[in-house]
Amino acid sequence: MEIKLSNRLKKVASFLPKGAIFADIGSDHAYLPCYVCLSDDTARAIAGEVKVGPLQSAKETVESLQLTHKVDVRLGNGLEVIQKKDGIEQIVIAGMGGSLINTILEKGQQQLQSVNRIIAQPNIDARTLRKCFGRLQFQITDEAILEENGHIYEIIVADRKADSYLPTLSEKELLFGPILLKERSTPFYDKWHQEKQKYDYILRQLKNAKYPDKNKTSEFEKERKWIEEVLSNVKRST
């Protein structure tokens, strides 16, 4: 059996160091941990799943690749699959909403004690996740954005801060991503061009409402202005 990983998950995997000891939460078929452990003989992983169906699929993948000694498939909710003795150093959570990833991390703080890196790929609401990292004393050290099959994906990498000082992100950086905002790649431009159209639609709905919410309208107008500014200055690099 050959593991064919999407470009999205390959990019996620690229942020794991050699010799990673990691947990892939919501692992589905366990393709990502198997891909990493096949390419790095020193890596080992936990593939966590909350549903029995995907768990069985993950077990079948691991067994067919003869990786049962390196990839441990476990049933559990979020970070509950991690035990202290595992010595997990990295966590991967990809393909969920930002709010759900936030909840998983907040509820699993006990299991984060040995973790020095979190790699997250939120499908929506990346801003909520960026706020969460700050509360957990993790600093965003890298970000990526890519387009695949008509969808644009953001990946956020956060590392534990050794000291108590953590740079505070501005509201603008939380929305766009501090690193993505600096790099301003073509997928970044495409994403925010699409988002601007959504903002335009929402603002029309708010202004045409029977009882307009002035505070909400003002907030959306402020962020729409930021988007316009970013789009007008975008570099459009690859």
Side-chain angles (χ1 to χ4, degrees):
M1 179 180 176
E2 184 185 351
I3 295 289
K4 291 185 178 178
L5 218 57
S6 65
N7 290 333
R8 169 181 68 95
L9 290 181
K10 281 182 181 176
K11 190 66 178 177
V12 169
S14 74
F15 291 111
L16 286 166
K18 185 173 175 59
I21 305 170
F22 70 101
D24 182 27
I25 306 302
S27 195
D28 201 9
H29 288 74
Y31 289 155
L32 185 143
C34 287
Y35 172 86
V36 172
C37 289
L38 282 172
S39 58
D40 178 3
D41 195 48
T42 60
R44 61 182 177 88
I46 293 168
E49 252 307 328
V50 72
K51 295 179 181 177
V52 175
L55 179 89
Q56 193 55 43
S57 297
K59 283 184 175 180
E60 290 171 5
T61 303
V62 173
E63 287 169 6
S64 67
L65 292 165
Q66 299 181 329
L67 286 171
T68 52
H69 61 299
K70 297 189 69 181
V71 181
D72 192 359
V73 181
R74 298 180 187 174
L75 182 67
N77 190 6
L79 303 189
E80 287 176 4
V81 297
I82 300 171
Q83 299 170 12
K84 189 175 183 180
K85 64 181 181 181
D86 296 322
I88 293 299
E89 297 176 357
Q90 301 88 21
I91 286 176
V92 172
I93 311 181
M96 304 180 198
S99 294
L100 178 55
I101 298 174
N102 177 11
T103 300
I104 288 170
L105 294 173
E106 294 274 11
K107 285 185 176 179
Q109 290 187 54
Q110 185 81 17
Q111 287 86 2
L112 287 176
Q113 290 180 7
S114 63
V115 173
N116 53 47
R117 170 165 286 192
I118 301 170
I119 305 162
Q121 182 267 297
N123 286 340
I124 56 171
D125 200 10
R127 169 163 47 183
T128 294
L129 195 52
R130 292 186 180 105
K131 289 179 181 178
C132 171
F133 285 137
R135 290 193 300 273
L136 296 175
Q137 285 297 300
F138 278 76
Q139 181 179 352
I140 296 172
T141 54
D142 212 339
E143 291 182 302
I145 186 167
L146 71 156
E147 186 276 332
E148 186 172 31
N149 298 326
H151 297 282
I152 297 174
Y153 300 102
E154 287 181 294
I155 299 164
I156 308 170
V157 181
D159 291 331
R160 182 181 294 281
K161 283 288 288 178
D163 53 55
S164 58
Y165 174 71
L166 195 70
T168 302
L169 297 179
S170 67
E171 286 297 317
K172 202 170 181 180
E173 288 174 319
L174 289 169
L175 178 63
F176 296 103
I179 295 166
L180 297 179
L181 187 59
K182 289 177 182 175
E183 294 177 347
R184 302 192 184 191
S185 65
T186 295
F188 176 87
Y189 173 90
D190 293 339
K191 172 189 166 69
W192 288 105
H193 180 73
Q194 293 172 17
E195 289 297 314
K196 179 179 174 295
Q197 293 176 326
K198 292 177 187 176
Y199 271 71
D200 288 343
Y201 174 78
I202 292 167
L203 280 167
R204 284 197 300 271
Q205 297 295 106
L206 287 170
K207 289 174 180 177
N208 291 331
K210 191 173 181 179
Y211 303 103
D213 185 330
K214 291 183 179 179
N215 289 335
K216 199 171 184 180
T217 301
S218 176
E219 188 66 22
F220 270 94
E221 285 179 334
K222 177 183 73 176
E223 291 182 4
R224 184 188 179 281
K225 187 177 180 182
W226 288 348
I227 295 169
E228 281 189 329
E229 289 170 356
V230 164
L231 291 178
S232 66
N233 294 318
V234 79
K235 300 173 186 175
R236 301 206 67 166
S237 61
T238 54

